[in-house]
Amino acid sequence: MFGFQITAQCPRTSARCGSFQTPHGPVQTPRFMPVGTLATVKGVSSEQLRQTGAQMVLSNTYHLHLQPGEDVIEAAGGLHRFMNWDGPMLTDSGGFQVFSLGNLNRIDDHGVVFRNPRDGRTIEMTPEVATEIQMKLGADVAMAFDQCPPYPATENDVVDACRRTHAWLERCVNAHQRQDQALFGIVQGGCFPHLRRESARAVADFDLPGIAVGGVSVGEPVEEMHRIIRDVTPLLPTDRPRYLMGIGTLREMAVAVANGIDLFDCVLPTRLGRHGTALVGGERWNLRNARFRHDHTPLDPSCPCLACQQHTRAYLHHLIRSEELLGLTLLSLHNITQLIRFTTAMGRAIQDGCFSEDFAPWEPDSPAHYAW
């Protein structure tokens, strides 16, 4: 049910186009994947999401376990039917919450004990539990349970996190039983090159349908992120999709694609949208700004999204200043569309043989990057 075919490659970089086949259809790579943590991309309906060009959508195991619970979703026919999304889906394992909710958890080799932020009760999340939840949710791709070390962390702490991540991956593999669901492993290692290389080799040895690079964009300098990608990606199988977790900025996606990464996710487009910010031509525009009050032109005339095709900057400014929910939805739709258009444009450049000229090396001021 799963396969990855490379359809084009850049002769001067490691960038490639591919098609990742899933039970709910193919995902054309490189591709940005919107995040729908609680079985919804915030403020956006499934029908609106389809219009952005989204192919694969994410949800989160930990948060869905808390509300409404995996049994409710399984009884509904699985996550796809529950949220009315008929395309491919991926569920994060909850491993990121080990990092982000550090003040609410206790970690040992067996797993993680969380304190439920809703009612204070304790929740034990082990590799087996995380895998069982994801099997009930029924997404096309399930992520292995891992430990994401914070930045900065000592080398000893990162060694422990890698050891647990690899041991937990083996337990996830042993617990995973769904043939219609792919299990991806996650490379960790912090900012220590030798640990990153060891983790990449260890995860690759499991011969899984795909591999993710985790533990980036957790506070490290952006140059460190680029170095991690350059070091790790050549050690990953070439015939499997490579997923860089938690990245959604143009420069970082372009650098990652140039080094052979295929998939991305990030909460950035909807988070910016909810705060009145639009992504336009590689810039962030605050629509609360008074300069938009009398601007009756489209936000981005080249953009096919609902905000740009049916509304003006002045109207969007009015909605944001008035704190109308429609404004937040329209900007979220626009921002998601922008990131999907950008990754699609990189794929088109790879196919046309001009990726190295248009996207690598990255030159932020070059107009070529915004001719999507």
Side-chain angles (χ1 to χ4, degrees), residues 129-190:
V129 170
T131 303
E132 177 66 27
I133 294 171
Q134 291 185 90
M135 287 193 292
K136 289 186 175 182
L137 296 176
D140 301 84
V141 174
M143 300 303 300
F145 193 57
D146 67 323
Q147 182 180 352
C148 175
Y151 178 87
T154 67
E155 183 172 351
N156 286 338
D157 286 343
V158 179
V159 166
D160 285 343
C162 285
R163 176 181 54 79
R164 287 195 182 107
T165 292
H166 303 154
W168 289 355
L169 174 57
E170 183 173 7
R171 289 164 60 185
C172 289
V173 169
N174 292 334
H176 191 258
Q177 302 296 324
R178 286 194 70 148
Q179 298 300 311
D180 61 345
Q181 184 180 67
L183 179 68
F184 281 21
I186 303 175
V187 175
Q188 290 291 349

Side-chain angles (χ1 to χ4, degrees), residues 2 22-25 56 80 87-90 138-142 180-183:
F2 298 92
T22 79
H24 286 85
M56 195 170 198
H80 292 86
M89 291 200 70
L90 180 151
D140 301 84
V141 174
D180 61 345
Q181 184 180 67
L183 179 68

Side-chain angles (χ1 to χ4, degrees), residues 49-96:
L49 191 59
R50 292 184 186 95
Q51 295 172 8
T52 67
Q55 290 184 343
M56 195 170 198
V57 180
L58 277 69
S59 283
N60 182 271
T61 298
Y62 169 81
H63 291 289
L64 290 175
H65 175 63
L66 297 185
Q67 172 65 38
E70 61 274 14
D71 291 335
V72 172
I73 294 176
E74 183 182 37
L79 196 52
H80 292 86
R81 289 188 179 180
F82 187 63
M83 66 177 288
N84 188 33
W85 177 259
D86 57 4
M89 291 200 70
L90 180 151
T91 44
D92 193 4
S93 65
F96 183 75

